[in-house]
């Protein structure tokens, strides 16, 4: 009678499980290609924060009301991150950190810049 080695089988199962789990986390981390205005505001807020070099402790969480979209988060130094749409049609965006305005302008300009990796409206410098 021939015995099957248990170690190679265990290693194979562990490798398969690790591959499956890492695939799930990679899928979960992907941003959707499109989305509603709430998602666009969240993406734009994150783009402005990254372009401005803000170290984020808590990423802004966005909530839509009947009149605006607002997002709140915190920096690594625990300064408040506030994001809000500033027009009735939710096409203008304002991002402030600790009371300092980092960006105030077109939501679409921020999204377009991030999509083309051009100059960030928040810093007027080339993106890394």
């Amino acid at each position: 009678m021939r015995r099957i080695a248990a170690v190679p089988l265990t290693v194979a199962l562990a490798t398969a499980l690790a591959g499956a789990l890492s695939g799930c986390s990679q899928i979960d981390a992907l941003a959707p290609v499109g989305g509603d205005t709430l998602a666009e505001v969240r993406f734009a807020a994150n783009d402005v924060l990254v372009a401005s070099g803000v170290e984020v402790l808590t990423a802004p969480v966005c909530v839509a009301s009947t009149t605006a979209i607002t997002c709140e988060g915190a920096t690594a130094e625990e300064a408040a991150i506030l994001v809000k749409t500033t027009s009735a049609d939710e096409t203008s965006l304002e991002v402030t950190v600790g009371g300092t305005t980092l960006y105030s302008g077109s939501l679409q300009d921020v999204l377009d810049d991030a999509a083309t990796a051009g100059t960030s409206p928040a810093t007027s410098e080339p993106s890394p």
Side-chain angles (χ1 to χ4, degrees), residues 54-82:
V54 174
E55 292 185 34
V56 176
L57 175 65
T58 307
V61 176
C62 301
V63 177
S65 70
T66 57
T67 58
I69 295 174
T70 57
C71 313
E72 296 182 5
T75 68
E77 293 81 30
E78 297 185 14
I81 298 171
L82 300 173

Side-chain angles (χ1 to χ4, degrees), residues 70-92:
T70 57
C71 313
E72 296 182 5
T75 68
E77 293 81 30
E78 297 185 14
I81 298 171
L82 300 173
V83 180
K84 63 182 178 178
T85 55
T86 57
S87 60
D89 61 358
E90 300 173 338
T91 60
S92 295

Side-chain angles (χ1 to χ4, degrees), residues 1 19 44 47 60 74 79 83 96-97 103 105 109 125:
M1 176 185 252
D47 291 339
V83 180
T96 60
V97 173
Y103 179 79
D109 285 352
E125 297 176 7

Side-chain angles (χ1 to χ4, degrees), residues 6-110:
V7 174
L9 181 58
T10 304
V11 171
L13 288 174
T15 303
L17 180 60
L21 291 176
S22 68
C24 292
S25 63
Q26 289 171 356
I27 296 289
D28 291 342
L30 294 176
V33 173
D36 59 5
T37 306
L38 182 75
E40 290 174 347
V41 169
R42 184 171 51 91
F43 295 150
N46 289 333
D47 291 339
V48 169
L49 294 170
V50 168
S52 299
V54 174
E55 292 185 34
V56 176
L57 175 65
T58 307
V61 176
C62 301
V63 177
S65 70
T66 57
T67 58
I69 295 174
T70 57
C71 313
E72 296 182 5
T75 68
E77 293 81 30
E78 297 185 14
I81 298 171
L82 300 173
V83 180
K84 63 182 178 178
T85 55
T86 57
S87 60
D89 61 358
E90 300 173 338
T91 60
S92 295
L93 178 74
E94 184 175 281
V95 180
T96 60
V97 173
T100 301
T101 300
L102 298 182
Y103 179 79
S104 182
S106 168
L107 170 65
Q108 194 60 48
D109 285 352
V110 176

